Amino acid sequence: MSWQTYVDEHLMCDIDGTGQHLTSAAILGLDGTIWAQSSKFPQFKPEEMKGVITEFNEPGTLAPTGMFIAGAKYMVIQGEPQAVIRGKKGAGGICIKKTGQAMVMGIYDEPVAPGQCNKVVEGLGDYLIDQGM
């Protein structure tokens, strides 16, 4: 299965049969290179991705300043050190799951709830981990 298929069929899927979808999603290498992305995934700056990578390696670094993706600031909320970063911005947010070789990202907005996004993103991340990815 191609990385784009994972994005299209597993991240941008109909969530729990509700007809709701993530706003955008991507799978990136641990160095921040994009492997596959949805059509509306925002263009991020290299320094923004460096901040995300640093947060995975040194949890707590983004909490004081927030996390920036394509210039949008997300307040960093509970996650799992070195495994999951979650951010909130207004009625929406972001979830990033780190696997052995990649980062799975999902961005959502209302009516999608944070838990729905987390389930989709972390579920695919856990699957990739189980597959040795």
Side-chain angles (χ1 to χ4, degrees):
M1 186 178 303
S2 76
W3 292 115
Q4 192 61 51
T5 302
Y6 282 117
V7 170
D8 296 341
E9 295 181 8
H10 297 280
L11 294 175
M12 297 303 295
C13 62
D14 180 337
I15 301 172
D16 299 329
T18 61
Q20 300 169 6
H21 302 270
L22 297 178
T23 305
S24 61
I27 299 174
L28 300 93
L30 294 179
D31 61 356
T33 57
I34 296 174
W35 293 1
Q37 64 184 7
S38 64
S39 60
K40 294 183 181 178
F41 191 75
Q43 290 282 336
F44 56 82
K45 299 175 184 142
E47 61 269 18
E48 293 172 335
M49 194 49 51
K50 184 178 179 191
V52 170
I53 294 165
T54 300
E55 177 69 22
F56 276 121
N57 295 329
E58 302 168 34
T61 57
L62 288 179
T65 60
M67 174 174 50
F68 290 85
I69 301 291
K73 183 178 181 178
Y74 292 85
M75 178 178 64
V76 178
I77 55 176
Q78 91 288 350
E80 298 170 30
Q82 300 179 331
V84 178
I85 300 170
R86 296 184 188 110
K88 187 86 172 122
K89 178 179 149 280
I94 188 169
C95 178
I96 308 169
K97 170 75 175 185
K98 181 181 175 194
T99 73
Q101 299 176 23
M103 293 180 284
V104 180
M105 285 189 175
I107 298 174
Y108 67 94
D109 212 338
E110 284 186 324
V112 174
Q116 291 174 304
C117 177
N118 298 346
K119 180 180 175 184
V120 170
V121 171
E122 294 175 39
L124 178 59
D126 289 340
Y127 170 79
L128 293 176
I129 290 169
D130 289 345
Q131 300 304 307
M133 306 293 252

